[in-house]
Structure formats: C-alpha cells, structure tokens
Amino acid sequence: MTAMQNLTPAVELAAKSDTRFPNESEEYRKARTALLAEEIELRRHIQRVAEQRRALPPGPEAKDYRFLDKDGNELGLTDLFGQHDTLFTYFWMYGPERERACPMCTSFVGSLDIPAPDIEQRVALGIVGRSPVERQLAFARERGWTHLKFYQTVGDDFAREYRAMVDGEEGAAVLVWKRDGGKVRLFWAAEGGFETADPGFDPHLAPDPTPLWNILDMTPGGRGTDWYPKLEYSDKETKDV
C-alpha cells in the first residue's frame, strides 16, 4: 500500500479544481466540489482494492479442464493462455438448453469485444460457454462481435466446480487465472450472490466492469429498479432513446 500513503487529502485536491460551467449556481458548485472529493476517495479506494487483489497469496491449483476451440481442437486450460501468464475468462449463460444467450451476459461480453485487442496486449481473454463453439460464434456474428475467442467446455465439471452451475442452474462466472510454471492457479474470482447484495441492488462487482451500469450511475435516474438490457429492442423503443 506504499503508493497510496502520504497523499494530499481529497478535499484539498477537490478545492483546487478551477472547473466552472456556464450559469452554474453557488449551490451547484459547492455540491459538485464536495462530490469531487468523494470521487477522488472512490478512485483511491479502487486503487487500494486492486493492490490488495494483486497481493493475494497463490490460489488453488486448477485441474486440467478441457475445452474445444473454434476449429474443434481440444485444449487444456493452460492452452488458453497463449503467450501470456495471466488469463481472464468469462463463463456466460448460453448453455445448449437456452434458446438465446442471457441478455445481461450479452451486454457484458459485447463490451469486451472492441477493447479485446488492447486487453490481449497484457493478458489472454476467453469467453467460455457450454454451447458448441459454432453456436456461440453464430450469436457473436449476429451481434457484430469480431475480436473475442470463444471456447466450449467439455463436460460440466468446470462450470460446476467454479460455481457457474449450481444444482443444474446455469449462472455466470468471472475467473482470472495465473500460470505458475507448469501449473495453473486460480488468481481471483468474483464471489458473492444475492446474499451479499445491498437492498435495492442486484449483486455486482466493485468496481463494476460493465460500462452500461457505470454510464447509468452518472445519470439522474441511475440504474433504475425495473429495467434490464434486452437482446432486441422495438423500433419504438429505439426511437424513444
């Protein structure tokens, strides 16, 4: 935590901001400066959490789970790393029994497609599902995704053992892996379901990696309480946006 020590208090930094907007009131400026101090504190908290995450001790060793790639080749978990020692995987809710992919998963996976080439400068990135890869790719093409790598799990051990399938119910899972010599270890995984959620909110990560929610958090109406993303929108819904 050394990098976070001896920082100028957030209130002092906020007071130094000389940003002003046309016709703003003194009340607005005072409230906005107070909010800026909180935003600086939030930024610092995010950085502290990231440091704490990076300082985790070695995680549990993973089994040699098997996957199929787009060409039908069977791969081990270690093969998904490519040239990197770190692998980010997202298990999405698009099992063979689902007619369509989960809208929430679709929103998140879509947000990864454009920056995937940038992300892969630092770590490997893979989208994992229970449906055949060709089915996942057909959906990806429908959505206009071109950069992501999709893999099919061989069997359901991976999904069950990493809590992406519980009592036959499919869920989503964010999992980060570290290659340690000839071993693969779980570095970090998103934890906590509805039992960890605050009143009025679905369980979500902190910080939330989904741009959708971050953008809505910046707006007067926030995330709302009765709205979720859809796979398709009617012409009227689109025009009303």
Side-chain angles (χ1 to χ4, degrees):
M1 301 294 178
T2 305
M4 298 301 295
Q5 295 174 350
N6 303 318
L7 296 174
T8 302
V11 171
E12 292 184 22
L13 289 183
K16 292 180 179 180
S17 173
D18 61 359
T19 300
R20 298 294 183 270
F21 298 107
N23 300 319
E24 67 176 26
S25 66
E26 182 178 347
E27 179 186 22
Y28 178 88
R29 176 46 46 196
K30 183 178 179 181
R32 184 63 188 93
T33 300
L35 176 59
L36 177 57
E38 292 296 325
E39 292 169 340
I40 293 169
E41 290 287 9
L42 176 60
R43 181 190 72 205
R44 291 174 174 179
H45 196 162
I46 290 171
Q47 291 169 330
R48 288 196 299 271
V49 169
E51 287 187 12
Q52 187 174 352
R53 187 181 295 117
R54 291 193 294 270
L56 285 169
E61 183 177 351
K63 290 172 17 182
D64 185 27
Y65 297 100
R66 312 303 292 178
F67 305 87
L68 298 177
D69 69 7
K70 65 181 180 62
D71 298 315
N73 300 312
E74 183 170 316
L75 307 173
L77 181 59
T78 188
D79 298 314
L80 275 56
F81 283 75
Q83 63 181 346
H84 296 292
D85 290 325
T86 302
L87 166 68
F88 179 101
T89 59
Y90 182 66
F91 181 97
W92 66 323
M93 297 165 63
Y94 193 25
E97 68 281 357
R98 294 184 66 98
E99 181 177 348
R100 302 283 282 162
C102 162
M104 291 283 285
C105 291
T106 299
S107 178
F108 178 53
V109 174
S111 74
L112 295 175
D113 183 67
I114 294 298
D118 298 317
I119 295 170
E120 291 180 324
Q121 299 304 305
R122 297 281 294 168
V123 302
L125 175 62
I127 309 301
V128 178
R130 293 172 53 246
S131 277
V133 180
E134 57 268 23
R135 186 169 188 247
Q136 297 184 58
L137 286 173
F139 187 84
R141 287 192 291 269
E142 175 188 323
R143 307 300 294 189
W145 304 338
T146 59
H147 296 115
L148 293 168
K149 298 181 181 68
F150 291 86
Y151 302 96
Q152 175 189 352
T153 58
V154 176
D156 287 335
D157 283 357
F158 179 87
R160 284 196 298 263
E161 293 174 10
Y162 288 97
R163 308 290 294 173
M165 179 174 281
V166 178
D167 297 330
E169 292 293 324
E170 190 177 55
V174 178
L175 301 152
V176 182
W177 312 88
K178 181 72 176 174
R179 188 154 51 187
D180 181 12
K183 301 177 181 179
V184 173
R185 296 184 182 276
L186 178 67
F187 168 72
W188 174 87
E191 295 186 14
F194 283 93
E195 74 281 0
T196 66
D198 292 320
F201 287 88
D202 285 349
H204 59 273
L205 299 180
D208 197 320
T210 310
L212 167 67
W213 303 124
N214 287 315
I215 294 298
L216 293 181
D217 280 344
M218 296 178 184
T219 68
R223 301 183 180 206
T225 58
D226 58 355
W227 179 89
Y228 284 96
K230 299 179 182 179
L231 294 181
E232 291 93 17
Y233 295 95
S234 67
D235 289 343
K236 182 180 184 303
E237 288 173 313
T238 302
K239 291 175 182 177
D240 288 344
V241 171

